[in-house]
Amino acid sequence: MVNTACESLAPTIEKLTGGRVNLRILSNLADRRTAQAECRVPAEGLTTETTSGVAVAQSIVEAAAFAEVDPYRAATHNKGIMNGIDAVLIATGNDWRAIEAGAHTYAARDGVYRTLSRWWVDEQGDLRGHLKLPMAVGIVGGATKVHPVAQVALKILGVDTAREFSEVLAAVGLAQNLAAIRALATEGIQTGHMALHARQLAMAAGARGEQVFVVVERMVAEGDIRFERAQALVEEINRH
């Protein structure tokens, strides 16, 4: 609609200014249409088998501080946020590339690429997080109106307005960000990555249904995540 309006107004603008209109398209930097999410996680809820919740919270804050000052870390930090947001955007038929472009441009709005989220420990010792980014999304028109999967996804979300939908997306991004930096601050991101890799190998080796979980569990426990090992485990299960 905006692009149509821009193209329609172009001749009038040229007449009024005596100039020549070149580009007639909206910007994907929708910085006047942002969404925010905030959370509070009790420190004890972050406790692991080897580390206290207080220590985990502090490690998360330190990890976030790296992203605030180092563009190399910020790029991966923000990619983790968009991992969650993009998945929901794709499922609902929205333009995930437009949101990505706007988010990363917004992250560099002061001339330095920075994190989109902030993490800190409050006076009660609990972990707090906040995320703000441009979020121009829709629930009417385009693929959202004609694609059955998009319609089902929006029905599952139960949102009635684009504003509400944008808030859900911000919450998903913040939750995804917490999951990633919590893993980084504790056992390391590779534990989760290798578990996913093990699942892919198990399925490629022919594991089906419950077999997948058995094979993954065995490979992770053994620390031997290879296609050959997955094949051997599948054959062993099938023999019994």
Side-chain angles (χ1 to χ4, degrees):
M1 290 174 64
V2 174
N3 291 341
T4 299
C6 288
E7 292 181 359
S8 299
L9 287 170
T12 302
I13 292 174
E14 289 181 334
K15 184 177 179 180
L16 290 171
T17 62
R20 179 177 62 85
V21 170
N22 191 344
L23 303 180
R24 296 157 293 172
I25 189 170
L26 59 75
S27 169
N28 289 130
L29 178 57
D31 56 0
R32 303 295 180 90
R33 189 178 174 185
T34 58
Q36 301 183 56
E38 188 166 312
C39 71
R40 180 181 65 82
V41 184
E44 60 266 24
L46 297 167
T47 302
T48 69
E49 294 181 358
T50 58
T51 311
S52 70
V54 172
V56 173
Q58 184 57 39
S59 294
I60 289 173
V61 171
E62 291 171 357
F66 277 120
E68 291 181 14
V69 298
D70 183 358
Y72 288 88
R73 173 60 204 145
T76 309
H77 183 99
N78 289 340
K79 186 261 186 184
I81 292 172
M82 301 311 295
N83 276 345
I85 292 175
D86 286 349
V88 182
L89 290 170
I90 292 169
T92 56
N94 273 266
D95 189 349
W96 65 272
R97 296 150 302 178
I99 300 300
E100 277 269 358
H104 294 302
T105 305
Y106 189 73
R109 62 191 180 280
D110 64 355
V112 178
Y113 188 86
R114 302 186 189 280
T115 171
L116 290 164
S117 65
R118 293 189 304 111
W119 294 93
W120 71 96
V121 172
D122 65 18
E123 295 178 353
Q124 287 71 46
D126 295 330
L127 179 68
R128 299 289 295 274
H130 179 266
L131 171 65
K132 180 180 179 181
L133 73 167
M135 194 61 69
V137 293
I139 61 172
V140 177
T144 60
K145 204 67 175 178
V146 299
H147 201 294
V149 173
Q151 292 176 325
V152 170
L154 287 169
K155 186 176 181 180
I156 291 172
L157 287 172
V159 294
D160 297 317
T161 65
R163 175 77 263 173
E164 188 179 3
F165 180 38
S166 70
E167 292 166 353
V168 169
L169 288 161
V172 169
L174 189 61
Q176 186 77 15
N177 186 212
L178 174 59
I181 56 178
R182 180 186 179 279
L184 283 170
T186 53
E187 72 270 13
I189 202 72
Q190 281 303 93
T191 299
H193 281 179
M194 292 310 292
L196 288 173
H197 182 51
R199 179 181 174 81
Q200 293 170 345
L201 291 178
M203 295 177 69
R208 296 292 180 269
E210 291 296 322
Q211 291 181 346
V212 175
F213 299 101
V214 174
V215 173
V216 169
E217 189 175 60
R218 286 278 300 275
M219 286 197 295
V220 171
E222 296 171 359
D224 187 6
I225 303 175
R226 297 176 299 112
F227 179 69
E228 292 77 10
R229 182 54 181 153
Q231 282 184 312
L233 289 170
V234 170
E235 291 173 2
E236 180 183 323
I237 292 172
N238 288 333
R239 284 197 301 270
H240 293 85

